[in-house]
Amino acid sequence: TVTTKIVLNYFAMLSRHSAIKSGEIGEDDDDDSDGRARVEQQVLDSNPILEAFGNARTIRNDNSSRFGKYIDIRFTSSGKLTGASIDTYLLEKVRLIHQTEGERNFHVFYQFLGSASEDDRDEYFLGDMQLEDFALVNQSGTYDRRDMVSDVDMHAEMMDAMAMMGFSSDMIRDIMRLVVAVLYAGNMTFTETNNGETCILDENEASLAVASLLGFSYEELAASLTCRVLFLREGNITKELNSRQAYKASEALIKSIYGSNFDYIVQVINQSIHQDQPPSRHGRGNRDQSAYIGVLDIFGFETFEINTFEQLCINYTNETLQQHFNKHVFKMEQQEYEREGILWKFISFPDNQDVLDLIDMKRVGILAVLDEQCIVEWGSDDKFVQQLYQRCGPHDRFEATPQQKPYRKFSVDHYAGLVEYSTEEWVEKNKDQLPAASVELLQSSDFGHVGKLQSFVRAEGAGGRGSVATKSVGAKFSEQLKDLRSRIDATAPHYIRCLKPNDELLPDEFDPKQIVEQLRYSGVLEAVRVSRAGYPTRYPHGQFMSRYYMLGDLGQDGTKRNKDMLQLVTFIAKHVWEEDIKRSQVRDAVTQSQIMSQRKGSGTYLRKELSKKAIHKKKKKRMNAQSNIEIPETEEEFERLDFGTRCAVAGLQLGRTKVFLRREAFDRIESLRVAILGKSARVIQAKMRGRVQRLRYFRLRKATIKCQAIIRYFLANLEVIRARKKARRERWASTTIQLAYRRYKFRNLGADRKRRMIDAAVTLQSFTRGSLVRIHLEDIWPSDGVKLGARAREAQALARSGSLVGEGTMTGVGLGGPAPVVIRTGPTLEEIAALEVASKRMGKYLKEEKWDSAIALMEVHEKLAEQQEEGTGMLPLHMIAQHNLHTAFEKTYKLFPAGEDKFDYEGRLPIHVAAEHDALVPLKSLLAKHPEGADTMMLRPTGRSGGGIPLHVACRTNASGAVVTALLSCNFNSAKRSDANGDLPVHLLLRNGTDVSGAVVQALLDTYPTAATRADMYGDLPLSVALKHECKPE
């Protein structure tokens, strides 16, 4: 059921797409140009209506179709859905009366009672009655659904679908009124009279509600249910019924009303979704020229504890469809063999025609025997069973054991297994006719909707027999099946098998027994038997080569497909034949040993006979039963066979596009493949384990060497410590000895030597102190000249006489001579102090961005332009290059032009600083004055930045497009250069993420298009860098 809805949704989607493509409707239009709902939507809307009135919860399914339906969908040549029609088969009306535990009645009862408004309850006499108050729905005690579907939501969906399908509001009310009448009819009761021979209808709420809702009086209702009219030649006779017969009459009325109402709803739906074909040029409709697709949703094979007439009809349907399915699978197998051009013989497949003959054959079939009992006046279930045992007893598929006959049961051996049937009420169910009294009752109704159902009511004929015009249920169903079979034969069928893993509808629960039963009931196992009779396993050439390449003397390269495929198949065929010969020889050896063991205990005559048999067996040639080819015994005989015969003997065939394998051949080559893969896996494992152990050995060896080195270092360190201690002791000892000796010698020196030493020390001190004082005096005197003292004049005289030792210094010859004279020509202490103060003030001005003050100070002290900032090494030119200041930059550059080639402590030139801080004005000025700076790399980049030329710095800091363009225009080749990390400018720019300008990226790629294929330091292409850093496209 669910699959049917999925298929219908798919067809509707294709049709709508075709209509939108042709311009008939817009993408948002749901209706045709005339305001009517489109046919596709109407076909889909028929599902909620039919599910409400024909589906119910069963043990295995919460939305099981209790009727079969065939939907014929018509399409135009362009794929537009033009109309559809629905045929229904065998509504399970017995569900209205009886439901087993865990099942429900039809959905519409639960949907309406759960959604009925106060007005509806007042109109239909429901009051506060609930599901538990009605006998037709409270038998099983099950009121909800396990699939979490709400009955209220489904009722609302059904009402919307009925409005969409053209059901008027009055028509919908009439249908719901009839549904409530059926519910109340199930609550009617009878009271026995005349010792149980007759009965009367109890005048209670249920009977009065049924009479009022169906449009007749209580008396008319009671008369029709408690009496039966017999039509005889002598006249009509009215016979009163007992309570059991009255209940049967009420059940017949319920089933007839509900079944007729269901047929009426199907008719209205068909009128809505069926579109008349426009006449062609020849005056005929083009229905035959349109394409159609039939969707068959029909009940599956059923077997319960008690199987009745409905189960026989359902299983009869599945037998018919299974026969077609088997033939269809067989036909597809034969067509594929012919298409592939392989050797094959006729495949026998299981045929269930004998079961179909047992059920529907004329005069001797089960349905034929049942129809006879429905036609004759004295027909009954007992007579039907007797005739059935007599006529069908000899049939191979029919079984009636002595244990079954007393209970009027029999069994039929279906394709899915043996099913036991109970024949209770088969005659009444096959007639499915409303008694004449009930027919007259419906005809007298003043409820208009009941009058519309008259054409769908199966009325009882004279004497209670079915009329000639009214066919039995079995006969009608058999004709419907034949018509369905003819439809399927004229099409290309596709089968969908639905399997449920468990009955509880739980996830992650798999019941193998239930799956096997479903496979058997759906005929899949029969189809598998048909497939296994031929070549059940097949692979396309490429897949076969990739799976079994290791079996031949080939590498993993499968480029030479035709040649390699022939070699591989030839090798496999020979191997399979060799394995078969080996197994045959083993079997022959076992047989020979058994014969020899029998010979030892046998007489002369028996030994001769056994010898003859052994000789006969040796001479007998083995035949391949599947291909009917003699199996060669030697390799020479095998090689003499042609390629196709060798393959057939081995159980495989090479087709045009596929390789076909029999089960035995498949098992053998699979075992060979597993053996080769196992051997290869062991080799790989051995190599890997050896490598793992070697790596482990190297790690242990490295760790051992390291431990040994640490221990040796520790021991050596101890030796060094001991040696140092020994050396310190020895040094202390020698020093102590020397000190004692020198002290001893000093005490013994003469006074004269002591005096000379004191004089020498005083002279040195005097000379040093004089030099320091002169230096101090020279620093505090004015800078217009040096005032020379007496020693200075002596120094000049000595200089003129040629005894000047060095620049700025004069000295005497002896120790007691004149002291050295130092002449200072550098800046004075005042100048140094003033310069230090000015440097600190300029640093303050630059930090506070007081450019004019800083430049004015540098103009006073030009040396300030050359001073580098402490800690960074930046010149004033570096600092001013961080800002777009034209005048300040030009003045600073003029004071110290050589600063353009000076690096700070990070190895940056002023042009690097300008590029880093997006300063366009200083950048252009430096490019004009010093273009070589654009190609200069940073000397000492911080961290892992990679440094680079100014273009790298600008791209790394996401400088403006003007800065990047200026650098590119100075040197286009700079876009090709990499920094110290190997990154191109485009890599550095894209790492800035969402703020990157697409124009700048485009300029870099236009300058150097190959950059799009270059990888950065991490191995990423520019596109990968852009995606990783979430660059926004413009």
Side-chain angles (χ1 to χ4, degrees):
T1 302
V2 176
T3 307
T4 301
K5 291 192 287 187
I6 293 174
V7 171
L8 292 179
N9 274 287
Y10 176 70
F11 291 157
M13 182 270 294
L14 291 181
S15 177
R16 179 177 177 81
H17 179 72
S18 176
I20 294 174
K21 188 175 181 181
S22 61
E24 298 180 11
I25 61 171
E27 293 187 3
D28 299 330
D29 295 340
D30 293 328
D31 300 332
D32 287 331
S33 57
D34 56 357
R36 293 177 53 195
R38 293 186 55 79
V39 179
E40 307 98 81
Q41 188 60 41
Q42 289 180 333
V43 172
L44 296 178
D45 288 337
S46 66
N47 278 321
I49 304 172
L50 295 178
E51 287 181 7
F53 287 90
N55 287 24
R57 168 179 168 173
T58 61
I59 295 176
R60 291 183 176 176
N61 193 349
D62 277 20
N63 191 29
S64 175
S65 295
R66 305 321 298 163
F67 69 101
K69 63 181 176 182
Y70 177 82
I71 307 175
D72 186 41
I73 309 173
R74 295 281 169 171
F75 297 88
T76 62
S77 57
S78 62
K80 178 185 175 184
L81 196 152
T82 60
S85 63
I86 301 175
D87 294 336
T88 59
Y89 306 97
L90 197 65
L91 177 66
E92 189 185 23
K93 291 183 286 187
V94 70
R95 179 171 293 272
L96 290 166
I97 311 303
H98 301 292
Q99 307 99 43
T100 60
E101 184 178 357
E103 296 189 343
R104 297 201 316 178
N105 211 320
F106 293 106
H107 292 325
V108 66
F109 299 119
Y110 306 87
Q111 294 177 183
F112 179 74
L113 289 177
S115 308
S117 61
E118 293 296 332
D119 295 338
D120 293 336
R121 290 183 171 274
D122 293 340
E123 181 179 357
Y124 302 138
F125 315 110
L126 289 174
D128 57 352
M129 298 185 70
Q130 301 299 326
L131 291 169
E132 295 82 356
D133 300 323
F134 293 100
L136 293 185
V137 294
N138 65 4
Q139 299 175 23
S140 63
T142 303
Y143 304 102
D144 58 348
R145 295 174 59 165
R146 294 165 296 182
D147 55 2
M148 308 302 293
V149 175
S150 171
D151 289 322
V152 177
D153 296 340
M154 295 305 298
H155 184 74
E157 185 178 352
M158 181 198 71
M159 298 296 286
D160 295 339
M162 294 180 78
M164 186 71 70
M165 295 296 293
F167 288 81
S168 64
S169 57
D170 293 337
M171 189 184 301
I172 296 175
R173 279 199 305 272
D174 292 343
I175 293 174
M176 294 299 106
R177 176 177 173 181
L178 204 67
V179 169
V180 177
V182 170
L183 280 174
Y184 271 118
N187 286 2
M188 292 190 301
T189 58
F190 297 88
T191 303
E192 294 182 350
T193 59
N194 296 332
N195 297 325
E197 294 182 359
T198 60
C199 66
I200 59 173
L201 175 64
D202 295 333
E203 187 175 0
N204 52 22
E205 181 183 4
S207 58
L208 293 176
V210 171
S212 177
L213 291 172
L214 293 181
F216 35 71
S217 64
Y218 161 75
E219 290 76 10
E220 293 174 335
L221 176 62
S224 65
L225 296 180
T226 58
C227 298
R228 181 178 182 182
V229 179
L230 300 179
F231 300 95
L232 302 177
R233 294 180 181 178
E234 296 80 6
N236 297 340
I237 299 177
T238 301
K239 177 185 177 182
E240 294 186 0
L241 305 177
N242 55 31
S243 60
R244 180 178 177 278
Q245 294 171 336
Y247 277 114
K248 292 295 181 182
S250 67
E251 293 175 0
L253 179 64
I254 291 172
K255 292 189 286 186
S256 179
I257 291 175
Y258 190 87
S260 302
N261 188 48
F262 181 79
D263 293 338
Y264 172 75
I265 292 173
V266 174
Q267 184 187 53
V268 175
I269 291 174
N270 280 330
Q271 291 173 355
S272 176
I273 64 178
H274 178 71
Q275 302 290 332
D276 294 333
Q277 300 293 326
S280 64
R281 291 179 298 178
H282 303 287
R284 295 175 300 180
N286 61 355
R287 180 177 179 84
D288 296 335
Q289 300 169 356
S290 64
Y292 73 92
I293 297 177
V295 180
L296 177 63
D297 176 18
I298 204 160
F299 15 67
F301 192 90
E302 292 184 351
T303 174
F304 304 113
E305 293 183 3
I306 300 176
N307 301 288
T308 60
F309 177 70
E310 289 79 12
Q311 276 68 50
L312 178 70
C313 294
I314 290 174
N315 294 340
Y316 171 41
T317 305
N318 283 272
E319 286 284 357
T320 304
L321 296 177
Q322 182 62 30
Q323 184 187 52
H324 180 272
F325 181 58
N326 287 345
K327 291 183 178 179
H328 175 67
V329 172
F330 165 75
K331 183 179 180 181
M332 290 177 60
E333 289 285 313
Q334 305 289 25
Q335 287 178 351
E336 184 167 13
Y337 295 161
E338 294 177 355
R339 185 170 57 251
E340 291 291 332
I342 66 174
L343 296 176
W344 61 280
K345 69 172 185 176
F346 180 81
I347 301 173
S348 61
F349 64 94
D351 190 5
N352 59 346
Q353 183 61 44
D354 52 349
V355 182
L356 297 177
D357 294 340
L358 172 63
I359 297 175
D360 63 2
M361 182 173 284
K362 293 182 179 180
R363 292 187 296 275
V364 295
I366 296 175
L367 296 180
V369 176
L370 183 60
D371 286 344
E372 288 181 3
Q373 296 300 317
C374 295
I375 294 174
V376 297
E377 185 176 351
W378 57 84
S380 65
D381 291 338
D382 292 334
K383 294 179 180 179
F384 161 66
V385 173
Q386 293 174 5
Q387 291 293 323
L388 188 65
Y389 290 160
Q390 180 180 356
R391 297 188 188 181
C392 301
H395 201 283
D396 294 337
R397 297 279 192 147
F398 185 87
E399 180 180 328
T401 63
Q403 292 80 14
Q404 292 176 328
K405 289 183 179 180
Y407 298 99
R408 297 186 301 183
K409 296 181 178 181
F410 67 93
S411 300
V412 176
D413 187 10
H414 292 283
Y415 71 90
L418 195 66
V419 179
E420 183 182 68
Y421 295 97
S422 174
T423 59
E424 185 178 356
E425 299 182 0
W426 277 39
V427 174
E428 290 296 330
K429 291 180 180 180
N430 191 39
K431 288 181 181 180
D432 191 26
Q433 294 174 346
L434 189 64
S438 298
V439 174
E440 293 178 358
L441 176 68
L442 295 179
Q443 291 175 350
S444 64
S445 171
D446 58 3
F447 180 27
H449 187 67
V450 174
K452 298 177 183 178
L453 305 182
Q454 295 295 328
S455 59
F456 302 101
V457 175
R458 294 172 57 88
E460 184 181 47
R465 295 174 293 174
S467 63
V468 177
T470 304
K471 296 180 180 179
S472 66
V473 173
K476 180 181 178 181
F477 188 64
S478 181
E479 288 186 0
Q480 287 179 322
L481 279 183
K482 292 179 181 178
D483 179 63
L484 177 63
R485 180 67 180 270
S486 63
R487 288 184 179 183
I488 297 176
D489 290 338
T491 59
H494 299 270
Y495 291 87
I496 300 176
R497 303 301 192 191
C498 302
L499 303 178
K500 293 182 177 59
N502 59 79
D503 286 337
E504 291 75 19
L505 305 183
L506 297 176
D508 301 327
E509 288 290 336
F510 187 85
D511 187 357
K513 181 180 178 182
Q514 182 175 344
I515 294 296
V516 172
E517 289 179 355
Q518 293 181 71
L519 291 174
R520 182 183 298 110
Y521 296 160
S522 61
V524 175
L525 296 184
E526 290 291 320
V528 171
R529 292 191 185 97
V530 174
S531 179
R532 286 171 67 96
Y535 294 90
T537 306
R538 56 205 69 179
Y539 291 104
H541 286 177
Q543 187 176 353
F544 184 84
M545 176 64 69
S546 63
R547 184 172 179 82
Y548 298 112
Y549 67 88
M550 74 290 296
L551 302 185
D553 189 15
L554 302 172
Q556 296 184 8
D557 183 16
T559 54
K560 300 179 180 179
R561 181 152 308 202
N562 293 332
K563 182 179 179 181
D564 292 350
M565 181 61 66
L566 290 174
Q567 293 177 357
L568 181 60
V569 172
T570 302
F571 175 82
I572 293 175
K574 185 175 181 180
H575 174 79
V576 173
W577 169 79
E578 290 175 350
E579 288 293 323
D580 186 54
I581 290 298
K582 291 178 182 178
R583 294 188 181 187
S584 176
Q585 291 175 353
V586 171
R587 287 195 299 267
D588 293 343
V590 172
T591 304
Q592 187 69 19
S593 63
Q594 292 176 354
I595 292 174
M596 295 303 296
S597 62
Q598 292 177 3
R599 283 182 179 180
K600 294 179 180 179
S602 303
T604 305
Y605 175 76
L606 288 177
R607 286 198 299 269
K608 291 181 179 180
E609 290 297 324
L610 291 174
S611 299
K612 291 180 180 179
K613 291 182 179 180
I615 294 172
H616 179 69
K617 281 193 175 182
K618 288 181 181 179
K619 292 182 179 180
K620 185 178 179 181
K621 289 289 187 178
R622 295 187 303 114
M623 302 293 292
N624 188 306
Q626 296 168 332
S627 57
N628 200 21
I629 299 174
E630 181 179 328
I631 299 178
E633 297 293 336
T634 62
E635 185 175 354
E636 291 76 9
E637 294 178 357
F638 182 79
E639 294 295 340
R640 283 200 298 267
L641 299 177
D642 60 285
F643 175 76
T645 306
R646 289 200 301 270
C647 292
V649 168
L652 68 157
Q653 289 286 337
L654 178 62
R656 294 187 178 93
T657 62
K658 296 179 181 179
V659 179
F660 295 81
L661 302 169
R662 296 195 186 276
R663 181 176 58 86
E664 296 81 3
F666 173 74
D667 293 341
R668 291 175 186 173
I669 65 175
E670 275 294 315
S671 62
L672 180 61
R673 176 178 178 270
V674 170
I676 294 177
L677 291 180
K679 182 179 178 181
S680 301
R682 288 190 294 272
V683 172
I684 294 173
Q685 290 175 355
K687 295 293 185 181
M688 288 303 299
R689 288 170 179 168
R691 177 175 174 79
V692 169
Q693 293 302 320
R694 280 192 296 274
L695 293 177
R696 181 173 178 271
Y697 165 75
F698 290 145
R699 287 196 299 269
L700 291 175
R701 182 173 177 269
K702 183 178 180 181
T704 304
I705 294 174
K706 190 171 184 180
C707 292
Q708 291 175 352
I710 293 173
I711 294 173
R712 287 168 180 166
Y713 167 78
F714 178 74
L715 296 176
N717 197 21
L718 289 178
E719 293 295 330
V720 170
I721 292 173
R722 293 191 189 101
R724 286 178 179 175
K725 288 182 178 179
K726 182 179 179 182
R728 281 197 298 270
R729 287 195 300 268
E730 292 177 351
R731 187 168 56 251
W732 176 81
S734 62
T735 304
T736 303
I737 294 172
Q738 291 175 5
L739 178 63
Y741 176 76
R742 288 170 182 168
R743 187 180 295 157
Y744 168 75
K745 293 293 288 183
F746 185 75
R747 288 193 186 104
N748 295 325
L749 290 176
D752 185 47
R753 187 174 181 181
K754 182 177 181 182
R755 184 182 57 79
R756 287 198 303 271
M757 292 179 67
I758 292 173
D759 290 342
V762 171
T763 303
L764 290 174
Q765 291 176 357
S766 300
F767 177 77
T768 302
R769 288 169 182 167
S771 298
L772 293 175
V773 170
R774 281 191 295 274
I775 292 172
H776 178 69
L777 292 176
E778 290 175 358
D779 291 338
I780 62 176
W781 284 346
S783 60
D784 53 353
V786 180
K787 296 180 179 181
L788 303 177
R791 290 188 179 276
R793 286 192 294 272
E794 284 183 7
Q796 290 180 352
L798 290 174
R800 285 193 294 270
S801 63
S803 58
L804 186 62
V805 178
E807 183 181 358
T809 304
M810 293 187 298
T811 182
V813 177
L815 183 64
V821 178
V822 179
I823 301 174
R824 294 287 302 271
T825 60
T828 64
L829 292 177
E830 288 83 356
E831 291 175 347
I832 294 175
L835 186 65
E836 181 69 21
V837 172
S839 175
K840 293 181 179 178
R841 190 179 302 168
M842 185 189 69
K844 181 179 178 182
Y845 289 157
L846 291 175
K847 289 181 180 178
E848 295 177 356
E849 298 184 359
K850 296 180 180 180
W851 314 115
D852 295 336
S853 301
I855 293 172
L857 195 59
M858 283 190 290
E859 290 175 347
V860 174
H861 301 280
E862 294 183 358
K863 291 293 182 179
L864 293 178
E866 303 176 13
Q867 286 191 355
Q868 293 179 310
E869 185 182 19
E870 185 177 357
T872 62
M874 296 177 64
L875 296 173
L877 189 63
H878 286 90
M879 298 181 183
I880 297 177
Q882 298 177 1
H883 305 277
N884 276 315
L885 302 173
H886 180 268
T887 304
F889 181 79
E890 292 295 334
K891 289 181 178 181
T892 306
Y893 181 84
K894 185 177 180 181
L895 291 172
F896 187 48
E900 64 185 8
D901 276 333
K902 298 296 182 181
F903 294 94
D904 61 2
Y905 290 166
E906 294 183 9
R908 300 179 299 176
L909 295 177
I911 192 172
H912 290 100
V913 177
E916 181 178 354
H917 292 84
D918 199 17
L920 180 61
V921 172
L923 181 74
K924 287 186 175 181
S925 178
L926 289 169
L927 290 174
K929 295 179 175 62
H930 185 55
E932 293 81 2
D935 293 330
T936 305
M937 298 283 287
M938 291 178 60
L939 298 181
R940 293 177 295 278
T942 59
R944 300 175 60 188
S945 66
I949 60 177
L951 181 60
H952 293 112
V953 177
C955 292
R956 186 179 294 110
T957 59
N958 196 16
S960 62
V963 171
V964 176
T965 305
L967 292 170
L968 285 174
S969 61
C970 181
N971 186 1
F972 288 107
N973 291 328
S974 59
K976 303 178 182 180
R977 296 189 60 179
S978 302
D979 62 0
N981 293 332
D983 293 333
L984 293 175
V986 68
H987 295 127
L988 301 173
L989 180 63
L990 291 173
R991 288 178 188 157
N992 291 285
T994 57
D995 299 331
V996 174
S997 171
V1000 179
V1001 176
Q1002 186 63 43
L1004 291 172
L1005 293 177
D1006 290 342
T1007 306
Y1008 183 41
T1010 312
T1013 61
R1014 293 278 300 276
D1016 63 357
M1017 61 183 293
Y1018 302 107
D1020 294 332
L1021 297 176
L1023 179 59
S1024 301
V1025 177
L1027 295 175
K1028 185 182 296 183
H1029 291 83
E1030 300 181 355
C1031 296
K1032 293 183 179 179
E1034 295 187 355

